[in-house]
Amino acid sequence: HTALHVAAEEIRRRADGGLLRLVMQASRLLTKQNEWSERNLVEHWVRHLAANSQGHTMSTVIVSPAGVAQFGPLNAAEAQQWLHDLMRAWVEGMRRPLPLKIEFARPVLVTLPGPQVPEPDSDAWREWAASDVLARSIAECYDANWNQAQRREAVYERRAFPTLESLRAGDELLRWVVQLYGPLFFAIRRKEDK
């Protein structure tokens, strides 16, 4: 039994004996720029982590009018760690505002200098954190998605992080993005690379 509800009619048995969660989704999985919409995949990712963290070898396939997203089976320990990271972020977010929105996931993660995330506080991490390409990417995302008057979250955002500099202070934004959205970002793209 997983920590999150997964409807029984969504579960199938794969040929190798593992489980397959097959979901039909009406909302678009792709943005207008034909990129994966992490916002529309997060719920499926968390359910995928929950099932795999319990030792179920489960794949998830989400079918929408705009495309098909797939998450492969995960090692239970890895899935447990990622769920733990999500819960730790939730607890921390209940204590104080976090410099984080899902809209920052792609702009931050596409600027990584290679296929591996640099170790935090390493020279490679500091070089990436100081790079012009990352700074531009975050600034563009900030201008488009942060502290927008018409959005419900604007008051919270303006009060907690009134400037781009306050949002980027101490690399906390980068650390949260890598830890929370990196696994989803890379999992959805693994199928594309094969």
Side-chain angles (χ1 to χ4, degrees):
H1 182 69
T2 61
L4 297 172
H5 171 74
V6 175
E9 64 271 9
E10 294 177 348
I11 305 297
R12 311 278 189 277
R13 178 82 47 199
R14 293 189 324 247
D16 65 2
L19 299 177
L20 169 68
R21 178 172 175 251
L22 180 62
V23 182
M24 306 299 272
Q25 180 170 312
S27 64
R28 299 180 59 89
L29 294 178
L30 298 173
T31 65
K32 291 177 183 172
Q33 294 77 28
N34 209 30
E35 297 171 332
W36 290 111
S37 172
E38 285 84 6
R39 176 174 297 287
N40 290 335
L41 292 169
V42 164
E43 177 186 346
H44 301 295
W45 177 244
V46 173
R47 290 174 189 252
H48 183 73
L49 290 178
N52 281 276
S53 73
Q54 298 299 308
H56 302 292
T57 306
M58 188 174 86
S59 298
T60 299
V61 176
I62 307 109
V63 180
S64 84
V68 176
Q70 297 180 352
F71 303 130
L74 300 171
N75 171 293
E78 189 174 46
Q80 288 169 2
Q81 181 60 52
W82 289 337
L83 272 178
H84 174 77
D85 292 345
L86 290 171
M87 291 307 298
R88 190 175 63 78
W90 180 81
V91 168
E92 189 65 22
M94 295 293 103
R95 293 183 181 141
R96 66 183 179 89
L98 298 179
L100 181 68
K101 289 175 70 155
I102 196 165
E103 288 83 2
F104 284 98
R106 185 180 310 108
V108 167
L109 295 169
V110 298
T111 65
L112 284 167
Q116 298 294 323
V117 176
E119 193 65 36
D121 299 321
S122 68
D123 289 342
W125 176 276
R126 285 189 286 279
E127 187 177 316
W128 172 56
S131 71
D132 290 341
V133 67
L134 176 62
R136 274 192 310 277
S137 191
I138 291 175
E140 288 170 9
C141 185
Y142 178 87
D143 291 342
N145 295 296
W146 196 268
N147 200 5
Q148 299 296 311
Q150 70 275 17
R151 295 187 50 257
R152 186 176 61 198
E153 300 91 355
V155 173
Y156 149 82
E157 293 167 355
R158 185 173 30 255
R159 191 167 136 214
F161 303 99
T163 65
L164 176 60
E165 292 74 25
S166 64
L167 183 68
R168 288 207 58 196
D171 292 341
E172 191 178 15
L173 168 67
L174 302 182
R175 292 170 190 270
W176 284 119
V177 165
V178 165
Q179 187 173 46
L180 301 182
Y181 298 119
L184 165 62
F185 183 85
F186 296 117
I188 198 63
R189 284 155 182 83
R190 252 183 234 123
K191 288 291 181 188
E192 293 176 351
D193 296 339
K194 291 182 180 179

